[in-house]
Amino acid sequence: MEFNVKSGHPEKQRTACIVVGVYEPRRLSDVARRIDEVSKGQLSAILRRGDLEGKAGQTLLLHNIKGTMADRVLLVGCGRERELGDNQYRQIIRKAIQTLHETGSMEAVCHLTELNVRGRDTAWRIRQAIEAAQSALYTFDQLKSQQEATRRPLRKIVFSVASRRELQMAEQASFEAQKIADGVKLAKDLANLPSNHCTPTFLADKAKSLCKLHDNLSCKILTEARMKDMGALLAVAKGSKEKPRFIVLEYNNNKKKDPIVLVGKGVTFDSGGISLKPSKDMDEMKYDMCGAASVFGTISAVAELQLPINVVGIIPAVENMPGSQAVKPGDIVTSLSGQTIEILNTDAEGRLILCDALTYAEQNYKPDVVIDIATLTGACVVALGKYPHGLMTNHNPLTNDLLAAGKFSGDRAWELPLWDDYQSDLDSPFADIANIGGREAGTITAACFLSRFTRKYNWAHLDIAGTAWTSGKKDKGATGRPVPLLTQYLINRCSDDSSS
């Protein structure tokens, strides 16, 4: 898919389709009004007949509009003008792109980026339009024997800006958006692969291939023999014939700054181990490596953007299976930190691999910030649903930075408390810590567990169990989140560093 930005009058665009907005009730946007003028009222006449009310997401494809050089004009309902906000803007962009793709317009000029979105500038509108467009066109059909091909697919879209003064800003926004969208696609592709394809070894090989594309990117792969002190991680891997891999990606593009470390949970399939999960929807447990996938996607986007920053991606990759050698409820293991852990539930395995990865970050780097990303608890889905990530941190400025990046990118998070009151829920009579608390506040006690291994640096935990994928037959698949949030956070950090 090719994206461009430019400024120009809509009636002078030689293209397969011009896309313009209509507000509710039947009010032409400024660009649509210009087309109406050159067509001597054709659009107004169509609206008076009631063909389009202007409700958000409605579309009407028109042919033979006089005074234009386009083959078609696509009218897109935008809702009420004063109510046009972030989410509605993304929705109308996605609807416009889907309609273009399905109706044979192989290329188009879209003027929806000239709409007035409350509190947002041109750069934001361009960024969100490109990311929404890529999302709308995403498919995962690599493993189908016969792929369904659209006869005349959308191949090129030009997003319009109101004036030439905005072009430079819009072009930078377009560049950033395409790299972030590519990172999201990489995360989706990895997560959507089934576990017989996407194994810990496969992820390690993917890291190596990614490094070949970028001079500033390198990787280390630790095999089982080099993980001998990671007792918590190895306990999870014991029940599977698939060997664990500990993947470290290093992006270095700033000699003066300590690295930001991203730690992604990489359980390529989670059966629950001896504490076996119910069979219903267990196929979705291939998505238990979405944290790892998001680290791949973010590192890729950062490398493509050539951000002046140092980022380390750490991915503990394992498979959790109920084999004859599997760890059992009641077993006690020693983590890389030296703390002992009583494993009361083998299905609480993500925190076990993460705690060793978090300790590795402390022992091998001097991290400025550490952020872990994990499909960690079903309790987070119950608490927050599918819209925001659960966010818990030990550092208030980091909380604010991540929330702001999420709000700007549309990849939102919501803070949950990380109070010491919850720590006693993890007490064990036999070990330093139990790997689960009680029924209550499962998301928070999971983060409290991880906090025991992060006391020497600024740390944030993103629970993405409700946001990493969507269920259901039609729209099932990985979302690629939180690649937009993480990449925006890193972009913001670069801006802060340059201004300080």
Side-chain angles (χ1 to χ4, degrees):
M1 183 69 177
E2 181 182 347
F3 295 101
N4 287 304
V5 293
K6 73 175 185 179
S7 173
H9 299 304
E11 73 276 12
K12 296 181 180 179
Q13 306 300 323
R14 189 179 297 278
T15 180
C17 190
I18 297 172
V19 184
V20 296
V22 177
Y23 296 114
E24 190 179 2
R26 300 190 298 276
R27 288 185 53 248
L28 296 170
S29 64
D30 291 343
V31 177
R33 193 176 298 117
R34 186 177 182 98
I35 293 177
D36 189 51
E37 290 171 359
V38 300
S39 68
K40 302 191 183 308
Q42 270 189 279
L43 301 190
S44 298
I46 289 168
L47 294 185
R48 283 195 298 271
R49 292 201 302 261
D51 288 17
L52 186 78
E53 183 66 22
K55 293 181 179 180
Q58 287 183 325
T59 59
L60 182 63
L61 187 63
L62 306 175
H63 297 262
N64 302 318
I65 298 300
K66 297 174 183 177
T68 71
M69 301 177 70
D71 298 332
R72 311 167 180 85
V73 173
L74 177 64
L75 304 182
V76 180
C78 301
R80 297 189 179 276
E81 183 173 8
R82 292 183 179 180
E83 298 175 3
L84 182 54
D86 295 3
N87 286 341
Q88 193 162 304
Y89 175 75
R90 296 185 194 98
Q91 289 168 7
I92 64 175
I93 291 289
R94 279 194 290 267
K95 184 62 178 180
I97 296 299
Q98 289 167 350
T99 303
L100 290 168
H101 187 64
E102 293 166 359
T103 54
S105 299
M106 298 180 69
E107 45 93 21
V109 177
C110 179
H111 290 269
L112 298 178
T113 41
E114 296 183 47
L115 296 173
N116 182 27
V117 182
R118 292 194 312 269
R120 298 302 188 184
D121 61 9
T122 297
W124 184 90
R125 295 194 300 269
I126 293 291
R127 272 272 303 269
Q128 294 300 312
I130 291 174
E131 291 179 41
Q134 286 282 53
S135 176
L137 295 175
Y138 177 82
T139 58
F140 183 84
D141 56 6
Q142 291 91 315
L143 302 181
K144 290 189 176 184
S145 59
Q146 294 184 347
Q147 299 175 354
E148 295 182 11
T150 303
R151 191 173 68 85
R152 290 172 58 85
L154 181 62
R155 299 189 185 280
K156 177 183 177 181
I157 188 159
V158 176
F159 288 110
S160 179
V161 296
S163 69
R164 293 188 180 277
R165 296 192 309 274
E166 300 173 311
L167 272 179
Q168 184 175 357
M169 173 175 54
E171 287 169 353
Q172 177 61 27
S174 173
F175 173 71
E176 291 180 357
Q178 291 181 64
K179 301 309 180 185
I180 294 171
D182 288 344
V184 169
K185 182 181 183 302
L186 173 59
K188 286 181 177 181
D189 285 346
L190 289 174
N192 283 327
L193 284 169
S195 61
N196 61 325
H197 288 252
C198 185
T199 63
T201 302
F202 176 90
L203 288 178
D205 291 340
K206 186 66 180 179
K208 294 174 185 176
S209 64
L210 190 61
C211 290
K212 293 178 181 178
L213 301 176
H214 304 285
D215 293 338
N216 292 335
L217 191 59
S218 61
C219 71
K220 294 183 287 188
I221 309 296
L222 277 62
T223 58
E224 199 168 4
R226 296 176 64 191
M227 290 186 271
K228 58 184 177 62
D229 294 326
M230 299 182 185
L233 186 154
L234 291 178
V236 177
K238 283 174 61 178
S240 174
K241 70 174 184 178
E242 294 290 347
K243 298 301 181 183
R245 293 290 183 267
F246 194 87
I247 303 163
V248 182
L249 285 160
E250 296 181 352
Y251 172 79
N252 294 300
N253 201 23
N254 190 322
K255 294 180 180 179
K256 298 180 181 179
K257 295 293 183 179
D258 294 329
I260 293 171
V261 178
L262 306 177
V263 180
K265 175 185 172 185
V267 180
T268 56
F269 189 81
D270 180 20
S271 69
I274 297 298
S275 306
L276 192 67
K277 291 179 180 289
S279 60
K280 186 179 184 297
D281 298 328
M282 195 194 282
D283 64 291
E284 294 185 359
M285 287 302 96
K286 70 178 184 177
Y287 293 121
D288 214 17
M289 45 67 67
C290 283
S294 72
V295 172
F296 272 104
T298 303
I299 292 281
S300 175
V302 167
E304 288 287 340
L305 291 168
Q306 287 288 292
L307 294 184
I309 197 170
N310 299 324
V311 183
V312 176
I314 298 177
I315 298 167
V318 302
E319 191 176 70
N320 185 25
M321 297 293 285
S324 62
Q325 301 297 314
V327 67
K328 305 172 292 298
D331 286 358
I332 294 176
V333 298
T334 302
S335 67
L336 181 61
S337 71
Q339 297 178 77
T340 58
I341 304 167
E342 183 182 14
I343 300 175
L344 298 179
N345 188 322
T346 66
D347 193 24
E349 85 299 330
R351 64 201 72 182
L352 297 176
I353 69 172
L354 288 173
C355 73
D356 280 345
L358 292 168
T359 301
Y360 181 92
E362 176 195 319
Q363 293 179 352
N364 291 272
Y365 300 94
K366 185 183 176 184
D368 180 65
V369 162
V370 177
I371 303 168
D372 77 72
I373 311 101
T375 49
L376 207 61
T377 65
C380 193
V381 186
V382 175
L384 297 176
K386 63 182 179 181
Y387 301 108
H389 316 296
L391 170 64
M392 287 140 282
T393 81
N394 63 8
H395 188 58
N396 285 334
L398 177 56
T399 302
N400 296 333
D401 289 346
L402 288 171
L403 291 175
K407 186 175 181 181
F408 182 88
S409 63
D411 187 11
R412 295 171 294 177
W414 188 260
E415 184 185 11
L416 295 171
L418 192 65
W419 299 332
D420 287 341
D421 310 55
Y422 294 101
Q423 291 285 357
S424 60
D425 290 356
L426 297 169
D427 288 347
S428 165
F430 306 112
D432 295 331
I433 184 173
N435 80 321
I436 59 168
R439 288 185 69 245
E440 299 175 347
T443 300
I444 295 170
T445 55
C448 285
F449 178 94
L450 296 176
S451 73
R452 304 276 187 106
F453 305 86
T454 63
R455 287 172 174 156
K456 294 185 179 180
Y457 50 71
N458 297 329
W459 160 76
H461 165 61
L462 285 170
D463 192 327
I464 62 171
T467 57
W469 77 91
T470 55
S471 300
K473 189 171 183 179
K474 182 180 179 182
D475 298 322
K476 187 174 185 175
T479 63
R481 300 176 65 189
V483 171
L485 182 157
L486 294 170
T487 310
Q488 186 60 48
Y489 166 74
L490 296 170
I491 291 171
N492 291 348
R493 284 296 305 267
C494 293
S495 299
D496 293 342
D497 290 344
S498 64
S499 60
S500 60

